[in-house]
Amino acid sequence: MSKDFILPDIGEGIVECEIVEWLVAEGDEVKEDQPVVEVMTDKAMVEIPAKDDGVVEKLYYQKGDIAKVHEPLFAIKPADGSSDEAPAKDSAPAKKEEPKTEKNQTSAGGDTTDFILPDIGEGIVECEIVEWLVSEGDEVKEDQPVVEVMTDKATVEIPAKDDGTVVKLYHKKGDIAEVHKPLFALKPAGGVQESGSNAPQNHVDPDAKTSPSDSKAEAEPPAKARQGKAVASPAVRRLARESDINIAEVPGSGKKGRVLKKDIEAFKSGDQKSAASSDSQQPQKAAATSGGTRTEAIRGVKAAMAKQMMSSVSTIPHFTYADEFDVTDLIALREKLKEQYKEKGIRLTVMPFFIKALSLALKEFPVMNAQVNEDCTEITYFDDHNIGMAVDTKIGLLVPNVKQVQNKSIIDVANEVTRLTQASREGKLPQADMKGGTISISNIGVIGGTVATPIINKPEAAIVALGKVQELPRFDANGNVVARKIMTVSWSGDHRIIDGGTIARFNKLWQEYLEDPTSMLVNMV
């Protein structure tokens, strides 16, 4: 018996994505966490992994198709042969078995529909109801927050997908709700829509369809050319790029000014070009004015970072420790070696030295590589040194981590740093590289600044910020003034388990390894 793999949430506000490349074929065996398909959203390229071992029986989309979040992506026959869902049909994805709750997806009365709790984080299968923000009988609007839930990673607000009236709340405050199960029942403002079905609409691009809502939108005047981010699917964005058109200048005829394929075609043919051109010239005149404001929603990586940082500073008592490192000899060693390894295709920066030296110091101070539970009644020490490094990307700050640094050479670490940095900046960073970090490094010095007070990447216990390298006058052993390359490092520690003396001694050992790089050789495995 086969079951459908449901496309999970792949980013804040993302409801669809384009199939870029299938990494498997029908009939292939796959393992849990094996990448199955590469998809493109309007924010990044993402690889979707399998959740279980099994055999791929059917791919519901072809390369270039638009797939919908929370709808079947492919059918898989589990390795153990079990399935909680009906077998897939050749013509369309099988419907997921209706959850056993007080109401099914559509009630017997036919006028209400269940809101299914979506994926709210990698590996999260349940959450606790913290607070209902509405009551039964309340009217809600699309995107209005309905409930606040808490996972083992963060507190999240779940918004409504449609306008309507809340008919029933299936859980009480403090209850545990399961992902992919009904959360509340809603009577839609316009009645139950067929779009509530789990089956894809024959793989047709939604932007090419004609529906009653589209007809209504067509009767309205096109939206003016926007100056911010256009609302459009990945396929429409690709069409605009291929046509060498700035999609921000195209008036959208869809709901909420959404740019459709026909809008791109019309703009390309010149039907709307003059209107768009005149509209696009207006901001030039407005640019001379003053006193204006601009408001943007905080979404995606930035929203996740905001919640993570709020949780960190509100639950972890931070304290900061800073010191100067003389990295003259380290930089000289790196300069000596970088060309030699460049010929071998290895990009050798100073970061691998910092990461490896940190790992060597962690062996002597395991509390720096530990984590406490939420109520601070237990402390867990990790054998693996999974050292995170902050990467500044177009979509926000990402902190992938180099796994098991204690078992890697400096060259191994260098290759991982290169891979993680490139994947982050290309938007192709696998979720596995973001999970499991035990301590982090933020290299603010590549941008500027000497001292920082970094926020701990919860649930880790410490983070260090590297300042910029400055050539400064210092006294040598003979009392002569010499030029040395100096870097300030700034630590933030969890004061519940790390005290000032511990972090000072730990930092001193790390400093010794970096100021005399050859000393690392004696301690490396």
Side-chain angles (χ1 to χ4, degrees):
M1 300 288 286
S2 65
K3 65 178 182 179
D4 284 342
F5 176 96
I6 306 300
L7 179 60
D9 285 310
I10 47 180
E12 182 73 20
I14 295 175
V15 297
E16 63 186 18
C17 60
E18 179 180 345
I19 305 296
V20 176
E21 196 71 54
W22 284 104
L23 307 178
V24 299
E26 293 179 359
D28 284 357
E29 291 187 3
V30 294
K31 296 292 184 182
E32 181 181 0
D33 293 330
Q34 176 183 334
V36 172
V37 62
E38 187 178 64
V39 301
M40 179 175 67
T41 72
D42 60 358
K43 297 180 180 179
M45 297 278 281
V46 183
E47 284 186 349
I48 306 294
K51 290 184 179 178
D52 306 286
D53 297 353
V55 177
V56 176
E57 292 206 327
K58 189 168 184 63
L59 307 178
Y60 291 135
Y61 298 94
Q62 297 178 358
K63 181 177 177 179
D65 284 349
I66 302 299
K68 294 289 190 70
V69 169
H70 301 151
E71 292 190 358
L73 191 62
F74 60 91
I76 185 171
K77 182 178 182 181
D80 60 6
S82 64
S83 174
D84 295 329
E85 303 176 58
K89 297 179 181 180
D90 290 339
S91 58
K95 282 191 176 181
K96 187 176 179 181
E97 183 180 355
E98 296 178 334
K100 296 176 182 179
T101 58
E102 296 182 48
K103 285 182 180 288
N104 293 323
Q105 185 118 13
T106 304
S107 70
D111 59 349
T112 66
T113 182
D114 280 345
F115 177 95
I116 306 299
L117 178 60
D119 287 309
I120 48 179
E122 183 72 20
I124 295 175
V125 297
E126 62 184 19
C127 60
E128 179 182 344
I129 304 296
V130 175
E131 195 72 53
W132 283 104
L133 307 178
V134 299
S135 302
E136 292 180 0
D138 285 357
E139 290 187 2
V140 294
K141 297 292 184 182
E142 182 182 358
D143 294 329
Q144 176 183 334
V146 172
V147 62
E148 188 179 68
V149 302
M150 180 173 64
T151 72
D152 58 357
K153 297 180 180 179
T155 300
V156 183
E157 284 187 348
I158 306 294
K161 291 183 178 178
D162 305 285
D163 297 353
T165 302
V166 177
V167 176
K168 187 170 183 62
L169 307 179
Y170 290 135
H171 301 279
K172 297 178 181 179
K173 181 178 178 178
D175 285 353
I176 301 299
E178 294 183 25
V179 170
H180 300 152
K181 295 291 181 69
L183 193 60
F184 60 91
L186 185 75
K187 182 178 181 180
V192 177
Q193 303 295 318
E194 291 183 4
S195 58
S197 169
N198 284 336
Q201 304 294 318
N202 298 322
H203 315 318
V204 177
D205 190 321
D207 295 323
K209 292 173 63 178
T210 300
S211 65
S213 61
D214 288 337
S215 301
K216 181 180 178 181
E218 287 171 6
E220 300 172 354
K224 290 185 177 181
R226 65 198 63 72
Q227 293 304 305
K229 187 175 180 63
V231 181
S233 72
V236 173
R237 294 181 186 282
R238 184 179 64 178
L239 178 61
R241 288 196 301 271
E242 291 172 349
S243 304
D244 198 24
I245 291 173
N246 180 358
I247 197 168
E249 297 179 355
V250 180
S253 62
K255 185 179 180 181
K256 296 184 179 180
R258 186 180 185 86
V259 179
L260 309 179
K261 283 187 176 180
K262 61 183 180 182
D263 298 326
I264 298 292
E265 297 295 342
F267 187 89
K268 187 164 60 173
S269 65
D271 292 348
Q272 299 174 339
K273 194 166 187 177
S274 57
S277 297
S278 61
D279 287 337
S280 64
Q281 292 172 1
Q282 296 303 315
Q284 296 178 2
K285 181 179 179 181
T289 64
S290 61
T293 62
R294 182 166 60 92
T295 303
E296 292 181 350
I298 300 175
R299 299 185 182 277
V301 172
K302 292 181 180 179
M305 183 179 70
K307 291 177 181 178
Q308 177 78 349
M309 295 301 98
M310 283 287 291
S311 176
S312 179
V313 296
S314 63
T315 59
I316 299 177
H318 285 56
F319 77 102
T320 299
Y321 175 88
D323 200 357
E324 284 188 351
F325 284 14
D326 184 337
V327 292
T328 308
D329 293 343
L330 174 63
I331 291 175
L333 176 62
R334 182 255 175 181
E335 290 295 324
K336 179 180 178 181
L337 297 175
K338 73 171 186 178
E339 291 302 323
Q340 172 187 341
Y341 284 98
K342 184 178 180 181
E343 294 176 358
K344 299 178 182 179
I346 298 170
R347 186 170 182 267
L348 190 61
T349 65
V350 294
M351 181 57 77
F353 292 93
F354 275 91
I355 290 175
K356 185 60 185 179
L358 190 67
S359 175
L360 295 175
L362 289 174
K363 290 182 179 180
E364 303 298 322
F365 294 86
V367 71
M368 299 292 295
N369 200 53
Q371 296 174 9
V372 295
N373 60 351
E374 282 294 329
D375 56 2
C376 200
T377 58
E378 295 179 345
I379 181 170
T380 302
Y381 297 88
F382 295 90
D383 293 334
D384 286 340
H385 302 163
N386 298 342
I387 300 177
M389 55 176 197
V391 181
D392 189 24
T393 75
K394 292 182 295 184
I395 61 173
L397 189 69
L398 301 177
V399 190
N401 60 83
V402 181
K403 300 287 195 297
Q404 299 182 334
V405 177
Q406 77 278 6
N407 297 329
K408 287 181 166 62
S409 68
I410 290 176
I411 299 305
D412 292 335
V413 173
N415 287 332
E416 273 294 275
V417 167
T418 299
R419 181 185 70 82
L420 293 172
T421 301
Q422 289 178 348
S424 297
R425 290 175 177 163
E426 292 171 1
K428 295 184 178 182
L429 187 67
Q431 284 291 327
D433 289 327
M434 295 282 288
K435 298 192 299 182
T438 55
I439 192 169
S440 296
I441 298 176
S442 176
N443 189 9
I444 62 166
V446 295
I447 300 174
T450 56
V451 180
T453 53
I455 304 301
I456 295 169
N457 188 21
K458 187 181 179 180
E460 298 170 16
I463 184 173
V464 65
L466 309 181
K468 68 180 180 181
V469 177
Q470 303 178 88
E471 192 159 7
L472 299 173
R474 292 293 184 267
F475 291 103
D476 65 12
N478 299 318
N480 300 314
V481 176
V482 294
R484 304 294 290 180
K485 290 179 170 59
I486 305 298
M487 169 188 285
T488 302
V489 301
S490 309
W491 281 97
S492 286
D494 184 341
H495 219 336
R496 294 174 297 178
I497 59 172
I498 301 172
D499 57 39
T502 299
I503 206 166
R505 287 187 289 271
F506 169 77
N507 186 73
K508 187 65 176 176
L509 179 57
W510 188 38
Q511 179 181 13
E512 289 173 0
Y513 288 140
L514 293 169
E515 292 191 344
D516 180 12
T518 58
S519 66
M520 283 194 284
L521 298 176
V522 179
N523 293 277
M524 288 176 63
V525 177

